[in-house]
Amino acid sequence: MAKRALITGVTGQDGSYLAELLLDEGYEVSGMVRRSSTINFERIAHIQDRINLVAGDLLDEVSMINILKEIRPHEVYNLAAQSFVQTSWNQPVLTGETTALGVTRVLDAVRTVDPGIRFYQASSSEMFGKVQEVPQVETTPFYPRSPYGVAKVYGHWITVNYRESYDLHASSGILFNHESPRRGLEFVTRKVTHGVARIAAGIDQTLALGNLDAERDWGFAKDYVRAMWLMLQQDQPDDYVVATGETHSVKELVELSFAAADLDWEKHVVIDERFLRPAEVDLLIGDPAKAEKTLGWHRDVDFPKLVQMMVEADLALVKSQQA
Ligand code: NAP
Ligand code: G4F
């Protein structure tokens, strides 16, 4: 019998890669989508006929309970969230409702419908914020620096709490930044690679950015969704840091991206204060030793390869749009 999985956030970057992986592993995949006035299934269009889309919302626990009763999944991957850090200062309450309390709604639906369901929570390196040690590991104390980071800390601890209170197989993946050609255009990697492609095509002259000194541990999303799946295949639930163990500045990202299109970044990049944050996470670098040892996880794509892949994809995208 095929295993059944439910993904919340299936229309997002990670949801689309995870759905592909689970289909390859022989799962029956259901994806929860929220109602909107326009369809936004671009990232899953190529697999839409192979997945079962169900309507629900993290803000509505009734919808979660009904979906679980209908699908009876063996595994639930909770990827849905208000995931953009900058927006979390403008919409702190919505971010808390979705990214924090939404986790409780899913967990409680799992507990109510079938406590045997295995659960994955998409936790984040943003929880480390003003980092208390370098590199960050599973036991590093959290010091979030945005309403988003605070909400993710809640989501992490409610996952641990439901695991300990109700003996749920609930795991939390503390994932560091991961990117791809499917990344949203507002995040800095995609903003840069897409901006480079528009400048190379002669559409734009400049690219406005914020803090070039911030450093991140950037990996490839397709590598990271494999870690999510591996966590739910373990006998025991646990928490894992998933990272590359390398850090790079936004400036390095900019230099590499412009160079990949034979452009001089200093002629095009301007600093715009609108993209500076009220509180910044200056440095993130994770140690994935536990995930490597226990899950047998490793990443295939390094930072230069990731940037090259994203620039090439955006050059092709902009060219096709022009044609
Ligand atoms: P993403 O591309 O922004 O996708 C977010 C998904 O959540 C979308 O499918 C979105 O649906 C859905 N969503 C938002 N609010 C919802 C609601 N109220 N009810 C139901 N669905 C809702 O994010 P991602 O990069 O794939 O990240 C996946 C998860 O991992 C998120 O929880 C994120 O916070 C976390 N995370 C990401 C990273 C990273 O570097 N990518 C690192 C650590 C943790 P719509 O399409 O309708 O908007
Ligand atoms: O790409 P970002 O917006 O990602 P951020 O804030 O690190 O958050 C992402 O990774 C988290 C994992 O740590 C996830 F949990 C979260 O959901 C999301 O996926 O910004 C990265 C850095 C920041 O320091 C920001 O200040 O880039 C800096 N930056 C500089 N100029 C910019 C810009 N960020 C954006 N988005 N836009 C800019 O123009």
Side-chain angles (χ1 to χ4, degrees), residues 8-16 32-36 40 43 56-59 78-84 94 98-99 120-126 148 152 173-179 182-184 186-187 221 224 228:
T8 73
V10 73
T11 52
Q13 170 189 259
D14 291 5
S16 66
M32 190 181 87
V33 291
R34 57 180 170 164
R35 195 265 160 187
S36 75
N40 64 340
R43 295 185 178 107
D57 198 302
L58 278 198
L59 302 180
N78 183 38
L79 308 188
Q82 190 305 92
S83 73
F84 188 40
L94 175 81
T98 311
T99 306
Y120 172 83
Q121 167 57 14
S123 289
S124 165
S125 50
E126 269 290 309
Y148 168 84
K152 281 290 179 187
I174 306 174
L175 271 52
F176 283 60
N177 298 50
H178 44 279
E179 320 291 316
R182 296 183 199 169
R183 188 58 143 151
E186 67 275 37
F187 298 94
Y224 284 41
M228 299 175 186

Side-chain angles (χ1 to χ4, degrees), residues 302-313:
D302 64 12
F303 181 66
K305 207 164 144 188
L306 174 68
V307 173
Q308 186 70 32
M309 176 204 305
M310 291 179 68
V311 172
E312 280 173 12

Side-chain angles (χ1 to χ4, degrees), residues 13-22 24 46 175-183 218-230 242 297-301 306 309-310:
Q13 170 189 259
D14 291 5
S16 66
Y17 284 115
L18 180 64
E20 284 172 7
L21 180 147
L22 295 174
D24 286 349
H46 60 297
L175 271 52
F176 283 60
N177 298 50
H178 44 279
E179 320 291 316
S180 74
R182 296 183 199 169
R183 188 58 143 151
W218 278 298
F220 178 37
K222 196 171 177 178
D223 286 342
Y224 284 41
V225 299
R226 206 168 55 244
M228 299 175 186
W229 175 70
L230 285 169
V242 180
W297 178 80
H298 67 275
R299 48 112 176 176
D300 288 330
V301 175
L306 174 68
M309 176 204 305
M310 291 179 68

Side-chain angles (χ1 to χ4, degrees), residues 10-12 15-17 19-20 23 39-51 53 182:
V10 73
T11 52
S16 66
Y17 284 115
E20 284 172 7
L23 287 171
I39 300 288
N40 64 340
F41 296 168
E42 295 88 3
R43 295 185 178 107
I44 50 170
H46 60 297
I47 48 171
Q48 206 175 317
D49 56 345
R50 298 170 63 203
I51 54 185
L53 295 180
R182 296 183 199 169

